[in-house]
Every structure is written in C-alpha cells, then in structure tokens.
Amino acid sequence: MAHRITYKPQGIILSSAVGELQVEVDGDFVDVTLTATGGIVILSERYYAHGGYVTLYDLGSLIEAEMNKSGQSCADFTLRVFTDTVSNKADSCVLHILYCDRFTVCTDIPTFLKENFLTTLSMRRVATGSTLSLFLYAEAGESLEYSVQHTFRKADSDAPYQHRYIMDSGKTADTSGVVQINVPLSSVIADAAGFAAARPGDITLLSFTVRCGQRSVTCFVDNSLTDLESFYFRNCFNVWDTATLPVVTTAKTDVERSLAIINGQSRFYNQSTAKTYEVEVGPLTSDEAEWIDQLFSSHDVFRIEPDPTNSYDPLLLAPILITDATCEIQDGDEKLNRVKFTWRYTDNRPIVRLSASPGIFTEPYNLVYS
C-alpha cells in the first residue's frame, strides 16, 4: 500500500475553490511538497496521520501568494506526498489553477471561461484616446479571432452609424492559458473613418463591443474622462483592469515635525511630509458599484504619470496605495451609488511634476518667433 491523495481535481480550477485535500497515509507520517512552475517549492512539511489520514487545509492561500508574487493569473502546481525511506510510498497530482481571490458558487468553470473575459464588468466606460485591454482564458487550439462592432457619428450628421471589423482572423491559441487582447480606440476610429469616407477628426465614437467566441464586453466612450485619471489594478483574476470613472479629487499635505530650542533659537527637526488624495467617485451604475471593490482590495494599483522629457515613452505607471475606502452600495432606487477612497504614492516623498520642452525645435528661438 502507498500514500494516496483521495481526490485529485481535474481540469482548470479557481484558486479560491481548491479547498481541503485529504491524503490516505500508509504509516505514521507523510511528507508533503507543493511546487510551482520552475521548481519553486512553496510548501514542504511532514505531517503525522490521525486515523490513517492527513487533511491539508487552505492550500489556495499559498497558491495565491505565489501567483501574486509572480504576477501570474494561470499556473500549474504539483502536489506530492511521499515518505523518504520508502520510495514506492508516493502519490502526486497537478493542480491547474486560475487565480480568483473571491468566493463563488459557480460549479462549471469551463463554461464560465468560454462565455466571459476575465473581468466581472462587462459594460464599462472608457476615455477617449485610451486602449482597452481584455484578458481571456483559451484552450489549446481555440480560435482567438475577435470582432469590434462600433457606433459613431460624423461631424456633419447627427445620425449614428454602425460598422464591424474582425481582427486576428485564423489565429488560434498554441497552448491553454491566458491571452491578452488590446483594442486602441484610435484603431476603432480609423475603421469608422474608412467606412464613412471621413477624416478621423470628424468621427465621434459613441460605443463599441468586443466579441471573442461567446465572450463580449461593451464600452461607452465618455469624452469627459481621461486616461490620466484612471486607476490600473489587478482584479480578482490577477489580470490588469482599469477603473476610468468620474471623480472629484482633493489633495491634502500633512507636515509633521518636532521643535527644538538651541542657543535661544527655535529649529525644526525630524520633519516628514505626507501627501494623500481623497477621491469621491460617482454616480455609479449597479455593475460598476458591484465591481469597484476589486480596486480597493487589489495588491497592485498604478496611476499614469506624464513624463514630458521622454518623447518615446511619455506616460509612466506609478505605483500607489489605497489607504482607506468607504464602499457602501445600496440596492434601492432612492440614492445614487457613490464611493470614497484615499490613496497615496508608494514613494514616501510627495510627487512634484516637472515641466520640460518636448524638444521639437533644433535651434534656439524666442517666444514670439520674430
């Protein structure tokens, strides 16, 4: 007789659904290892049996911690049970994990993955000039062809037009895993301009829907929003998501320091400066209100900061911390859903934005070009 894992999960499983795993032990104890891709050991322990069994609890938290560190949303983990002194007392299984840090009652994960992108917000707002990034889980050989159906207006007409185009025709997934799709709004506008025989500057994009297989996400273009007010974060599937919402931000600077009297004169010492940003968001749709707490609980959040000295990469991602959040959502129709939160940059020094010429002139010139 050998050690035996009594239940071996098959197919893709969510990290939050790993649950407890039971090992039937032949002897007094069993050695257990849990190994990530690349041979990284995240668990190596000896457990003593009770009634011939050992039960392993909360492996999902160990798996999620490793996936957070590596930035993976899909990975394989090998669970092995064995006894060093007897080589044939061993068993193992491979856990095919899709990161999900939320409780769910979904029992048919393959069907969910075929019908949904890796986001829980299927209708969203986007800013003009932005790029929509979507992630999906595809099986090996699955078609990655996607379509973009958009609605727009021309400058000389109030009538809406619709058009549809296809990208990545004939492309398939080489292996099972997470795939990223990028849809720049400039490309959607260019297609609309070509279809309407107009200049891109005369096109006003209203909305568009991205479909890949049975998956779809619909975006509404809000001209009042900007990418510089967006928050980029890892959502509950550990893939990048974007919160582009109407906000009112209040910046607060707190200076703490001590006072000393030296030779009859006062001096400051131990000075520290902290700058925080209080944000009020709203009003929100019911879908946005249900989804936005993933921003507050995310372990990776960034803001875009412009760098005027770099013409090749003028926008940089600066890491931030959300230090406080008030997220109270009601399901009635008497009040609009709004949330408040406070954030700061991870760097302890307050940010200062330096201006610079983009360098478009090669020789000195005066301000009036005379």
Side-chain angles (χ1 to χ4, degrees):
M1 182 179 175
H3 305 308
R4 185 174 67 90
I5 302 171
T6 58
Y7 169 68
K8 298 180 180 180
Q10 302 296 317
I12 191 79
I13 57 174
L14 300 180
S15 60
S16 58
V18 172
E20 62 184 55
L21 294 176
Q22 193 174 68
V23 180
E24 186 177 352
V25 179
D26 180 13
D28 296 329
F29 63 87
V30 64
D31 294 314
V32 177
T33 61
L34 183 63
T35 308
T37 304
I40 301 173
V41 178
I42 61 176
L43 173 67
S44 180
E45 293 289 346
R46 173 169 289 183
Y47 297 98
Y48 288 85
H50 177 72
Y53 289 91
V54 162
T55 303
L56 305 173
Y57 295 98
D58 204 21
L59 292 181
S61 295
L62 291 175
I63 290 171
E64 288 172 2
E66 174 60 28
M67 296 177 78
N68 283 339
K69 185 171 64 176
S70 62
Q72 294 176 297
S73 55
C74 182
D76 289 346
F77 293 82
T78 302
L79 179 67
R80 184 169 178 261
V81 296
F82 60 96
T83 300
D84 289 336
T85 56
V86 182
S87 59
N88 63 346
K89 287 187 177 183
D91 195 11
S92 66
C93 70
V94 177
L95 305 176
H96 304 285
I97 301 295
L98 178 69
Y99 186 101
C100 180
D101 63 8
R102 300 300 172 102
F103 165 70
T104 176
V105 296
C106 178
T107 57
D108 190 349
I109 299 304
T111 297
F112 166 80
L113 295 176
K114 288 180 181 179
E115 296 180 352
N116 294 274
F117 289 100
L118 294 179
T119 178
T120 58
L121 187 64
S122 59
M123 302 186 73
R124 59 178 61 215
R125 311 179 217 197
V126 294
T128 56
S130 62
T131 296
L132 174 69
S133 292
L134 295 172
F135 296 81
L136 61 97
Y137 180 86
E139 297 286 353
E142 183 178 344
S143 172
L144 299 180
E145 176 181 294
Y146 67 93
S147 66
V148 180
Q149 181 169 330
H150 49 85
T151 302
F152 63 95
R153 287 195 181 101
K154 295 196 300 181
D156 58 355
S157 174
D158 290 333
Y161 294 82
Q162 285 191 347
H163 192 240
R164 176 176 176 268
Y165 66 92
I166 295 176
M167 295 294 293
D168 291 344
S169 179
K171 183 178 180 180
T172 59
D174 296 330
T175 59
S176 297
V178 175
V179 177
Q180 181 177 358
I181 292 175
N182 292 321
V183 183
L185 266 67
S186 58
S187 297
V188 183
I189 292 174
D191 180 81
F195 171 73
R199 295 179 301 175
D202 294 332
I203 297 297
T204 300
L205 187 63
L206 303 177
S207 65
F208 62 95
T209 299
V210 182
R211 292 186 175 88
C212 183
Q214 301 177 55
R215 313 169 186 90
S216 70
V217 164
T218 298
C219 300
F220 299 93
V221 182
D222 189 334
N223 294 320
S224 67
L225 301 178
T226 171
D227 258 356
L228 297 180
E229 291 297 325
S230 298
F231 293 86
Y232 295 82
F233 65 99
R234 290 192 179 274
N235 65 15
C236 66
F237 298 107
N238 210 31
V239 299
W240 290 110
D241 214 332
T242 309
T244 306
L245 300 168
V247 298
V248 176
T249 303
T250 304
K252 293 187 175 182
T253 302
D254 293 321
V255 180
E256 294 185 359
R257 51 199 176 187
S258 301
L259 183 67
I261 300 176
I262 303 174
N263 195 25
Q265 294 189 356
S266 298
R267 295 286 187 272
F268 288 126
Y269 70 98
N270 287 349
Q271 178 171 306
S272 63
T273 305
K275 193 165 188 177
T276 58
Y277 303 84
E278 292 184 358
V279 178
E280 182 171 353
V281 184
L284 301 175
T285 67
S286 57
D287 289 343
E288 290 169 338
E290 181 73 22
W291 158 84
I292 198 171
D293 66 345
Q294 295 178 38
L295 166 64
F296 304 149
S297 61
S298 177
H299 58 89
D300 272 334
V301 187
F302 292 84
R303 290 265 296 182
I304 285 183
E305 287 295 334
D307 179 6
T309 65
N310 191 338
S311 59
Y312 297 100
D313 191 11
L315 300 176
L316 302 176
L317 288 175
I320 68 170
L321 300 174
I322 295 180
T323 57
D324 186 41
T326 302
C327 186
E328 298 179 356
I329 307 302
Q330 51 92 27
D331 57 3
D333 55 5
E334 296 180 356
K335 295 182 179 180
L336 298 174
N337 288 316
R338 300 175 184 268
V339 297
K340 295 181 179 180
F341 63 97
T342 302
W343 65 271
R344 49 157 290 184
Y345 292 96
T346 58
D347 198 301
N348 284 333
R349 298 176 184 270
I351 191 171
V352 59
R353 294 170 177 86
L354 305 177
S355 60
S357 166
I360 59 174
F361 297 100
T362 57
E363 295 180 2
Y365 65 97
N366 60 37
L367 293 179
V368 295
Y369 300 92
S370 61

